[in-house]
């Protein structure tokens, strides 16, 4: 178990604590914690040597505004089978692989995919021009999780969260739409049958 401070992590732990893509706010948090401890220079040397032999991976990670980070992460892990990446509290305390009490930011993972969650108050402190502390969760669009079977997820959902029951679509995907407790619309789907025209 970690002791909850990035500045107290050893260099190898600090490297593991950093996701592939870090938002500006999280990067500031990591820099603030690592610079005083002298960890950043070690991390940079090890990262640059790794990059010399392989190309750095790139990814797009959504950061969802949630009402309660801990409750949201519990839902994503128990319902969709995600694992906890890390969590951060308002005092910059840090926990890997577990939900830290008072978390205002956290990540969950599904295989190689990663999703960030943050309270409106926390994000507005980092980027006040983008969001206010009173903003509610909301997203125009859906989150699509390919590779999760609707028949496996369906029994885990409360009936009022279902938006569209599992359906074999014309393009060969078996999909289901539902809401998470914050109102975000999620679609899970697996290929069943051939693509259009077959």
């Amino acid at each position: 178990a970690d002791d909850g401070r990035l500045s107290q992590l050893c260099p190898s732990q600090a490297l593991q604590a950093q996701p592939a893509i870090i938002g500006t706010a999280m990067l500031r948090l990591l820099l603030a914690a690592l610079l005083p401890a002298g960890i950043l220079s070690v991390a940079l040397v090890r990262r640059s040597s790794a990059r010399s032999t392989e190309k750095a991976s790139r990814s797009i990670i959504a950061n969802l505004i949630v009402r309660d980070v801990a409750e949201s992460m519990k839902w994503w892990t128990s319902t969709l089978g995600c694992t906890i990446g890390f969590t951060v509290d308002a005092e910059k305390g840090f926990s890997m692989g577990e939900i830290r009490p008072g978390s205002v930011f956290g990540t969950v993972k599904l295989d190689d995919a990663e999703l960030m969650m943050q309270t409106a108050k926390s994000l507005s402190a980092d980027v006040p021009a983008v969001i206010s502390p009173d903003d509610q969760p909301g997203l125009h669009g859906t989150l699509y999780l390919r590779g999760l079977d609707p028949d496996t997820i369906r029994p885990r959902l409360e009936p009022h969260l279902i938006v569209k029951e599992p359906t074999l679509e014309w393009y060969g995907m078996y999909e289901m739409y539902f809401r998470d407790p914050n109102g975000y619309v999620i679609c899970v789907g697996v290929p069943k049958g051939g693509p259009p025209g077959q």
Side-chain angles (χ1 to χ4, degrees):
D2 74 65
D3 52 17
R5 297 294 300 177
L6 271 177
S7 59
Q8 296 169 344
L9 293 173
C10 72
S12 62
Q13 289 172 317
L15 285 173
Q16 294 169 3
Q18 300 177 49
I21 300 294
I22 302 173
T24 305
M26 287 309 300
L27 184 57
R28 284 200 307 265
L29 177 99
L30 287 169
L31 290 174
L34 295 176
L35 280 171
I39 293 174
L40 183 62
S41 59
V42 176
L44 287 175
V45 168
R46 293 196 49 190
R47 277 214 183 276
S48 62
S49 63
R51 284 195 182 108
S52 64
T53 57
E54 62 183 65
K55 187 176 180 180
S57 63
R58 299 185 296 177
S59 60
I60 297 173
I61 304 173
N63 185 13
L64 301 182
I65 299 304
V66 297
R67 295 181 188 93
D68 185 308
V69 170
E71 288 304 311
S72 297
M73 294 183 83
K74 287 175 188 174
W75 187 88
W76 278 81
T77 54
S78 65
T79 305
L80 299 177
C82 295
T83 58
I84 297 168
F86 66 94
T87 55
V88 179
D89 66 24
E91 287 74 42
K92 300 181 183 177
F94 185 93
S95 293
M96 289 292 297
E98 63 183 11
I99 300 173
R100 186 174 187 79
S103 293
V104 297
F105 180 91
T107 66
V108 293
K109 295 182 178 182
L110 183 66
D111 297 330
D112 292 331
E114 186 173 16
L115 178 68
M116 300 185 292
M117 301 175 196
Q118 190 169 8
T119 63
K121 182 178 179 182
S122 170
L123 184 58
S124 69
D126 295 331
V127 196
V130 174
I131 190 169
S132 82
D134 301 320
D135 279 354
Q136 296 298 309
L139 176 72
H140 298 286
T142 63
L143 296 173
Y144 191 94
L145 295 121
R146 183 184 174 101
L148 292 181
D149 191 328
D151 291 338
T152 302
I153 302 301
R154 177 66 178 85
R156 303 178 192 169
L157 295 169
E158 297 174 34
H160 72 277
L161 296 175
I162 304 295
V163 173
K164 183 179 180 181
E165 291 286 354
T167 306
L168 181 57
E169 301 292 354
W170 64 270
Y171 40 85
M173 292 296 293
Y174 183 59
E175 298 174 339
M176 175 182 62
Y177 287 81
F178 54 93
R179 294 184 186 277
D180 82 347
N182 289 284
Y184 292 108
V185 177
I186 300 165
C187 178
V188 294
V190 290
K192 280 193 179 180
Q198 289 189 351

